[in-house]
Amino acid sequence: MDTIRFTLEQNEIPTHWYNVVSDMPNPPSPPLGPDGNPVGPEQLAAIFPMAILEQEMSGERWIPIPEPVREIYRLWRPSPLIRATRLEAALGTPARIYYKNEGVSPAGSHKPNTAVPQAYYNRQAGIKRITTETGAGQWGCSMAFAGQMFGIDVRVYMVKISYQQKPFRRSMMQTWGAEVFASPSNMTQTGRDLLAKDPDNMGSLGFAISEAVEEAASRADTNYALGSVLNHVALHQTIIGQEAKKQFEKAGDWPDVVFAPCGGGSSFAGVAFPFLADNAAGGHKGKPTRLVAVEPASCPSLTKGVYAYDFGDASGFTPLMKMYTLGHDFMPPGIHAGGLRYHGDSPLVSQLYHEGLIEAMSVQQLATFDAGVTFARAEGVIPAPESNHAISAAISEALRCKETGEAKTIFFNLTGHGHFDMAAYDSYFAGELGNFDYPAEAIRASLNHLPKVG
Amino acid sequence: MDTIRFTLEQNEIPTHWYNVVSDMPNPPSPPLGPDGNPVGPEQLAAIFPMAILEQEMSGERWIPIPEPVREIYRLWRPSPLIRATRLEAALGTPARIYYKNEGVSPAGSHKPNTAVPQAYYNRQAGIKRITTETGAGQWGCSMAFAGQMFGIDVRVYMVKISYQQKPFRRSMMQTWGAEVFASPSNMTQTGRDLLAKDPDNMGSLGFAISEAVEEAASRADTNYALGSVLNHVALHQTIIGQEAKKQFEKAGDWPDVVFAPCGGGSSFAGVAFPFLADNAAGGHKGKPTRLVAVEPASCPSLTKGVYAYDFGDASGFTPLMKMYTLGHDFMPPGIHAGGLRYHGDSPLVSQLYHEGLIEAMSVQQLATFDAGVTFARAEGVIPAPESNHAISAAISEALRCKETGEAKTIFFNLTGHGHFDMAAYDSYFAGELGNFDYPAEAIRASLNHLPKVG
């Protein structure tokens, strides 16, 4: 019996995060304030601890992972690297397909990789409470879990439509001791204003961010936490790719191409950046690895957006970030991969894409579920709709290999399980799931609202 | 950083199942037909393949695990043994607490350990279809997954009340390609008769078994599969305890006491029987391990039932088995641990309990959820309500150690995750979850209906 699951010992959990900034040909474009000047750490200190802000701005190549964070990581890490031999056989491809299973974390996705250090650094800074927002619930669950690990109270503003449609994500957060409020709520001025205008407002991620930030900014004992987009989030996620590299060495193999879903960019950054370090040094044994971000065709920031300064949130409260964006007031179609419905992208991922160091592609919703079901029937694991984007790209690549006869090594990031997304699979099996046309007109309109910056 | 997750390499997946019959002081009591005579394999060959029936009757100590079954096992096995150091600290106990996490399987519980070989042996016998029943959905999911792995069509009769209340378990089965019908259905005579009497009949596990067996018995290409109670099921589950023993050796520790939830008995048998082999040989380094089955106070077959021949199903269609029973027509109260709502118990577990080789205890529902939430907040994993029974017993033992100062090694079987049981946690947090008084009168009544056997 061949080994197909490549595990590591717990003392092989990486001791440092990898900072891709150290290998970028140009320094990252700084975030800008409303006046067009770069935003310094002091302006963000009301809602983030200084240790996080230092990571956000750091150019150091290696950032040590605090021991208490590694001790929480070991509850589920190292996560397995698995060779999908049954999927290979089902496709009849000469390619070798591997995936990293980040769904094994308590919260069910890669998100705790950054939630845990964020909770830790806040605790170190004497912070007792963290506010955050959640759409589909993956991030809120991860922050609830991480807060519980370090004795921090967590308050989650959950987009009201999700609060009503995904009650079990809410239950999960409560099991880990978090408070969950439907947003818009009457806990903040933002929420009260919205409800005064429209008591039936079902909320949006942009408004939920505004509520969480407003509360954190107004209380000295409370900070705010974000689950994607920012540099420190990408940094924390690099534990995925670093583990994968050790596991590929054990497997005696190395990826020719890496696929990861891409919304805010954290799961792509996490798995891809450590391979980019090798590419920057001329590739692994002289051969570079292709790094491909896979986004939904209905929310294609990298492949159809513009590279420009824009707000991180819908309402224009955050600093301006240089990124591929569809316009901050673009409202993505209601695809089931809620974690990929973001108008912009990580500034680091955006800059690397702009400079041609990574690739991007988009896939339609129906194709992602076709791929997810093919995968589940071959390998057992039922993936999250976000993960299905990477799986779809990996399967297409494997089928191209079947045509050409190439025995490529394909690697994708299985970012989470689909246990709380079965309603989406129901729609798929009922034939009710559709594709969304490229929302060209809406994107053109929102791109007209880009802020004017030097 | 100390290791707390003890993993094994994939080539350490056991090559044989352990048959506890070889270490029992007395041979197992045989199943009996309606005439009071032992039932031979030929009478069951209409619904089970011969390889399974041979295992059911076997006295061999070691039964080889077919290589194709080990190849499916390796999709998630060996499952991790984890030392719950954060739970120990939260309780302030000198005890060391370990758990085996069987929730890492694709279907989310220990049930695929037997579903996979059952699918394999049926496939070997040329069977194309398997029927089975499911209550809460754990077993139906496991059989759907296993059938998909070996190209067998699976039809699941799901108790109608569960079919309506747990739609996502149904979606999961469909994702793996199974057909799912609400029982009573109009697919069988049993179902049609029930619906003719009462179109609103919400079904029961007993009726669902009857539908699945009726269909399997009437079709040459179709067999039936059962997820607990029977000897071959207990046999397949011994992979859990065998792996655990190897992992304890790596950890340099050994359990003083093992707890597992006990309904039909398969998860208890799986984790406990391999330790019973050591006990039969005088114990590990001369010290026996206590083996404790933990059952719900509202359905206490071992602790309050009688040891007698009774039917395995509610309707009296199955052979008679000698077991601890509350009477085959006893209807257990509606606790959330649906997997433990069974009137009887595995004949092997029952006989070992009768002969004093294992122990049993019962716990109230509220205490099990207290324990589950304490565990989730310390260790991250949200357990299934069934698993919470073992956790409750383990925590009580750890707190006794705190009083006495004993540094015992406590081990429990975490049989599954609770991702599809969040409604039960919701009830708990809402204060709506209650205990059920010992249903003394109902049990007295049903014990009056025990079949009369020699």
Side-chain angles (χ1 to χ4, degrees):
Chain A
M1 186 177 66
D2 295 330
T3 292
I4 57 162
R5 286 168 76 229
F6 300 94
T7 50
L8 299 172
E9 295 296 326
Q10 295 215 282
N11 58 20
E12 294 178 278
I13 292 176
T15 56
H16 293 70
W17 292 299
Y18 163 69
N19 186 357
V20 77
V21 172
S22 64
D23 280 318
M24 286 168 69
N26 296 298
S29 301
L32 303 180
D35 56 2
N37 292 321
V39 174
E42 64 289 347
Q43 289 162 272
L44 298 167
I47 59 170
F48 291 115
M50 201 47 68
I52 290 279
L53 292 171
E54 281 166 12
Q55 292 180 353
E56 187 65 21
M57 315 286 178
S58 172
E60 288 291 319
R61 187 177 178 81
W62 296 106
I63 311 245
I65 306 177
E67 202 51 32
V69 170
R70 293 180 78 225
E71 285 184 8
I72 303 300
Y73 279 169
R74 75 185 169 162
L75 291 176
W76 74 95
R77 303 207 73 87
S79 71
L81 176 77
I82 298 166
R83 180 160 169 205
T85 52
R86 291 178 52 88
L87 179 62
E88 294 167 14
L91 300 174
T93 178
R96 293 182 298 283
I97 306 174
Y98 295 82
Y99 67 99
K100 184 86 167 153
N101 189 356
E102 290 292 312
V104 299
S105 78
S109 78
H110 67 295
K111 294 285 184 189
N113 295 336
T114 182
V116 170
Q118 290 195 50
Y120 168 76
Y121 289 120
N122 274 292
R123 177 70 193 216
Q124 287 296 99
I127 290 296
K128 303 278 195 310
R129 294 173 76 251
I130 287 178
T131 58
T132 195
E133 71 288 331
T134 202
Q138 286 274 25
W139 170 247
C141 283
S142 301
M143 202 59 237
F145 158 70
Q148 178 62 236
M149 293 298 107
F150 289 107
I152 285 187
D153 293 335
V154 173
R155 176 172 286 183
V156 182
Y157 289 93
M158 186 173 189
V159 177
K160 194 184 280 176
I161 181 84
S162 294
Y163 184 90
Q164 292 177 354
Q165 287 179 347
K166 300 204 166 191
F168 297 147
R169 275 285 175 197
R170 191 203 322 163
S171 323
M172 210 172 184
M173 292 183 248
Q174 288 167 337
T175 303
W176 287 312
E179 287 179 301
V180 188
F181 294 101
S183 168
S185 76
N186 57 15
M187 315 293 292
T188 66
Q189 196 56 47
T190 305
R192 285 187 294 268
D193 288 351
L194 287 164
L195 291 173
K197 272 185 234 159
D198 175 11
D200 297 326
N201 187 314
M202 293 309 280
S204 76
L205 203 53
F207 292 135
I209 293 176
S210 303
E211 288 206 273
V213 169
E214 178 186 325
E215 181 179 339
S218 67
R219 288 185 59 156
D221 66 346
T222 301
N223 269 346
Y224 167 75
L226 190 68
S228 193
V229 180
L230 298 179
N231 300 0
H232 66 273
V233 177
L235 174 78
H236 300 156
Q237 293 292 356
T238 59
I239 194 163
I240 304 172
Q242 287 190 75
E243 283 181 7
K245 284 165 63 173
K246 290 190 197 186
Q247 288 163 314
F248 272 109
E249 271 166 25
K250 290 205 178 181
D253 208 341
W254 202 261
D256 293 299
V257 55
V258 177
F259 296 104
C262 196
S266 80
S267 86
F268 173 77
V271 74
F273 285 2
F275 289 96
L276 199 135
D278 296 275
N279 288 357
H284 179 74
K285 297 181 182 169
K287 204 174 79 174
T289 295
R290 287 178 55 209
L291 304 169
V292 186
V294 188
E295 51 186 22
S298 54
C299 191
S301 53
L302 291 173
T303 53
K304 300 272 193 180
V306 299
Y307 187 49
Y309 270 102
D310 197 3
F311 296 109
D313 66 332
S315 318
F317 290 164
T318 70
L320 295 164
M321 295 181 292
K322 190 151 188 196
M323 59 182 178
Y324 280 88
T325 178
L326 301 167
H328 60 275
D329 56 5
F330 170 65
M331 177 66 80
I335 56 170
H336 285 281
L340 306 183
R341 293 179 68 237
Y342 184 62
H343 69 274
D345 214 315
S346 146
L348 292 179
V349 169
S350 294
Q351 185 164 332
L352 291 164
Y353 181 62
H354 186 67
E355 298 184 348
L357 298 172
I358 61 172
E359 301 171 43
M361 61 180 284
S362 72
V363 286
Q364 282 282 7
Q365 174 162 270
L366 217 44
T368 66
F369 276 85
D370 288 343
V373 170
T374 298
F375 179 79
R377 291 185 176 175
E379 297 290 323
V381 179
I382 298 178
E386 291 83 3
S387 307
N388 287 345
H389 287 68
I391 298 173
S392 175
I395 287 179
S396 297
E397 183 77 19
L399 293 176
R400 275 190 294 276
C401 288
K402 185 177 182 176
E403 282 178 24
T404 62
E406 289 171 286
K408 281 190 191 169
T409 299
I410 299 168
F411 172 40
F412 69 86
N413 194 5
L414 194 133
T415 51
H417 62 62
H419 299 170
F420 293 88
D421 302 285
M422 296 313 298
Y425 282 89
D426 279 350
S427 301
Y428 172 76
F429 288 119
E432 292 162 3
L433 203 73
N435 291 328
F436 290 93
D437 287 335
Y438 170 61
E441 201 164 330
I443 291 173
R444 238 190 328 268
S446 57
L447 286 178
N448 276 332
H449 308 154
L450 282 187
K452 305 282 173 269
V453 182
Chain B
M1 188 177 64
D2 294 331
T3 292
I4 57 164
R5 288 168 75 229
F6 300 95
T7 50
L8 298 172
E9 295 295 326
Q10 296 215 282
N11 58 19
E12 295 178 277
I13 292 175
T15 55
H16 292 71
W17 293 299
Y18 163 70
N19 186 356
V20 76
V21 171
S22 64
D23 280 318
M24 286 168 68
N26 297 298
S29 300
L32 302 180
D35 57 2
N37 291 322
V39 174
E42 64 290 345
Q43 290 162 272
L44 297 167
I47 59 168
F48 291 115
M50 202 45 71
I52 290 279
L53 292 170
E54 281 166 12
Q55 293 181 352
E56 188 65 22
M57 315 284 179
S58 172
E60 287 293 318
R61 185 176 178 83
W62 296 107
I63 312 247
I65 306 178
E67 201 52 29
V69 170
R70 292 180 77 225
E71 286 183 8
I72 303 300
Y73 279 168
R74 75 186 168 160
L75 290 176
W76 73 95
R77 305 206 71 87
S79 71
L81 176 76
I82 298 166
R83 180 159 169 205
T85 52
R86 291 179 50 89
L87 179 62
E88 294 167 13
L91 300 174
T93 178
R96 291 182 299 281
I97 307 175
Y98 295 82
Y99 68 98
K100 184 87 165 152
N101 188 356
E102 291 292 311
V104 299
S105 79
S109 78
H110 66 295
K111 293 284 184 190
N113 295 336
T114 182
V116 170
Q118 290 195 51
Y120 168 77
Y121 289 120
N122 275 291
R123 177 70 193 217
Q124 287 296 99
I127 290 296
K128 301 278 196 310
R129 293 174 76 252
I130 287 179
T131 57
T132 194
E133 71 289 330
T134 201
Q138 286 274 24
W139 169 247
C141 283
S142 301
M143 201 60 234
F145 158 72
Q148 178 62 236
M149 294 297 106
F150 289 106
I152 286 187
D153 293 335
V154 173
R155 176 172 286 184
V156 182
Y157 290 93
M158 185 173 190
V159 177
K160 193 184 279 177
I161 180 84
S162 294
Y163 185 89
Q164 293 178 352
Q165 287 178 347
K166 300 204 167 191
F168 296 145
R169 275 284 176 199
R170 192 205 318 161
S171 323
M172 209 172 184
M173 292 184 247
Q174 288 167 338
T175 302
W176 287 314
E179 287 180 301
V180 188
F181 293 102
S183 168
S185 75
N186 58 15
M187 315 293 291
T188 65
Q189 197 56 48
T190 305
R192 287 187 293 270
D193 288 351
L194 286 164
L195 290 173
K197 272 187 233 157
D198 174 12
D200 297 325
N201 188 313
M202 292 310 281
S204 75
L205 203 54
F207 291 134
I209 293 176
S210 302
E211 288 204 273
V213 169
E214 178 187 323
E215 181 178 341
S218 67
R219 290 186 56 156
D221 66 345
T222 302
N223 267 346
Y224 167 75
L226 189 68
S228 193
V229 181
L230 298 179
N231 300 1
H232 67 272
V233 177
L235 174 78
H236 300 156
Q237 292 293 356
T238 59
I239 193 162
I240 304 172
Q242 287 190 77
E243 284 182 5
K245 283 166 63 173
K246 290 189 197 186
Q247 289 163 314
F248 272 110
E249 271 166 24
K250 291 205 177 182
D253 208 341
W254 202 260
D256 294 299
V257 56
V258 177
F259 295 104
C262 195
S266 80
S267 85
F268 173 76
V271 74
F273 285 2
F275 289 95
L276 200 135
D278 297 276
N279 287 355
H284 179 73
K285 298 182 181 168
K287 205 173 79 175
T289 295
R290 289 176 54 207
L291 304 168
V292 185
V294 187
E295 52 186 24
S298 53
C299 191
S301 52
L302 291 173
T303 52
K304 300 275 193 178
V306 300
Y307 187 49
Y309 270 102
D310 197 3
F311 296 109
D313 67 330
S315 317
F317 289 164
T318 71
L320 295 164
M321 296 180 291
K322 190 152 188 194
M323 59 182 178
Y324 280 88
T325 178
L326 301 167
H328 61 275
D329 55 6
F330 170 65
M331 178 65 79
I335 56 170
H336 285 280
L340 306 182
R341 293 179 67 238
Y342 184 63
H343 69 274
D345 215 314
S346 146
L348 292 179
V349 170
S350 295
Q351 184 164 331
L352 290 164
Y353 181 62
H354 186 66
E355 297 184 348
L357 297 173
I358 61 170
E359 302 171 42
M361 61 181 283
S362 72
V363 286
Q364 282 282 8
Q365 174 161 271
L366 217 42
T368 66
F369 276 85
D370 288 341
V373 171
T374 298
F375 179 78
R377 292 187 176 176
E379 297 291 322
V381 179
I382 298 178
E386 292 81 4
S387 306
N388 287 345
H389 287 69
I391 297 173
S392 175
I395 288 179
S396 298
E397 183 78 18
L399 292 175
R400 275 191 294 276
C401 288
K402 187 177 180 176
E403 281 177 25
T404 62
E406 289 172 286
K408 281 189 190 170
T409 299
I410 299 168
F411 172 41
F412 69 86
N413 195 5
L414 193 133
T415 50
H417 62 62
H419 299 172
F420 293 88
D421 301 285
M422 296 313 300
Y425 282 90
D426 278 349
S427 301
Y428 172 76
F429 287 120
E432 291 161 3
L433 203 75
N435 290 327
F436 289 93
D437 288 335
Y438 171 63
E441 199 164 330
I443 291 174
R444 237 188 332 267
S446 59
L447 287 178
N448 276 334
H449 308 153
L450 282 187
K452 305 284 173 265
V453 182

